[in-house]
Amino acid sequence: MSMTTTMTGDAFSGVRKPLLEGAMFPASCYTDPAFLARETERIFRRDWILVGDTGRVAKPGDWWSFDLAGIPLIVARGRDGVIRGFANTCRHRGCKLLNDGQGNSRAFKCGYHGWVYALDGKLTGAPQMEHSKGFDKADYGLHPIRVANWGVFLFVCLDDATPPLAEYLGDYFRLMGEYEPDRLVVTRRVTADLGCNWKVYAENLMEAYHTPYVHTSSIAGNDYDPGMEVLSGKGAGLFGQTEGAPIWLDHGPNHSAIVSRHTGSNALLPTDKGFPPMPRLTGTAAEGSYFTYPFPNLLIAGNVDCLWYVQINPRGTNRCTLTLASCFHEETVARPDFAEIAQAYYRRLDVSTAEDATITEEQQKGLSSPLARPGRLSHMEPVVHAFRQWVLERVGM
Ligand code: FES
Ligand SMILES: [Fe+2]
């Protein structure tokens, strides 16, 4: 299917219908460089994007350089303790300043002609430039980008016109505040390169319809899984009801969430034992789990004993990089048996992620066929539906 066919509003009329009447995105939304370029410009360069966690820059002088949808960036913690963000592009002739990675430095020095930048982005050294007329170092600091954190979770925004993070995510903070985000600690991060479009993996995370089929021998045994309940009929019809129902949805302008009341933890394989609940949990957080989706590119899952996030970074139409990070309350991390018991949580994430990776790469292969045609959605895919409406609105289709 060519882009001239798919880039018209008509191609999306089925997507815009209500969930149970709605059609899939045209396959080209997952394969066409022009669609990805539009997403990069209108989503990844405009919205607040979760890039990681503050554990990347825990101490003054810590820096982390990475790319976001192909744009090289730096996040650094200054001597004053403030976390700042910059374009990872030298202001002399545009060389990438730092290789991707992490470190601790007093300053950043460009490898091309030796310009030096302080941790706050100011240009402090520019060899030979005293001969250039009217050159003032104060005019050539690193290009700043907006950085904000919600507890341990770290976001950047490349557009100065976008509202502040708290406004952007709005009610999301109320929804998740019970987890004491300032007292969470990231204890493990894993990255994985996948052969699928970023939305393919995002949508996989947004539904439990696939759980009995893809996770047959792992988390499908969690009988408190909302997907299992709905599939078996126990919870049928509950999706979409209001707060207080055993399973309910929460939608804001830039997030969706599946909230469910159940016993046990979704963060473990059914056969594993874990930690007791986090201290001071109240409300639904104490009684079940939250699968939340601050759009566009992440999952933050909250359980009584653990949180984890999955961040998805586009690497072209048919590639993306996942970062999975496990977060525990600082009081849990302080337990003498923490390292031993935490293995069970890491094992669950690794197993389910490997299973999801295999199936999403197969999905990408199927979507890449010239014979791929849009299908339909089930009642178990309400967040997928909401996410697609959000993407369409953002890309202006
Ligand atoms: S490009 Fe960085 S110093 Fe010349
Ligand atoms: Fe899955």
Side-chain angles (χ1 to χ4, degrees), residues 1-2 22-23 39 60 62 76 100 119 148 150 160 166 198 231 234 252 259-260 268 298 322 341 344 384:
M1 191 178 289
S2 74
E39 291 173 331
D62 283 355
D100 289 352
L119 291 166
W150 175 63
D160 290 341
W198 71 277
L231 264 193
K234 280 189 284 179
V259 187
S260 60
L268 291 164
L298 78 149
L322 307 182
I341 296 178
V384 174

Side-chain angles (χ1 to χ4, degrees), residues 204-205 207 210-211 214-215 219 352 355-356:
N204 168 277
L205 293 173
E207 46 90 0
H210 71 273
T211 302
V214 172
H215 304 297
I219 55 173
S352 62
E355 291 168 344
D356 285 328

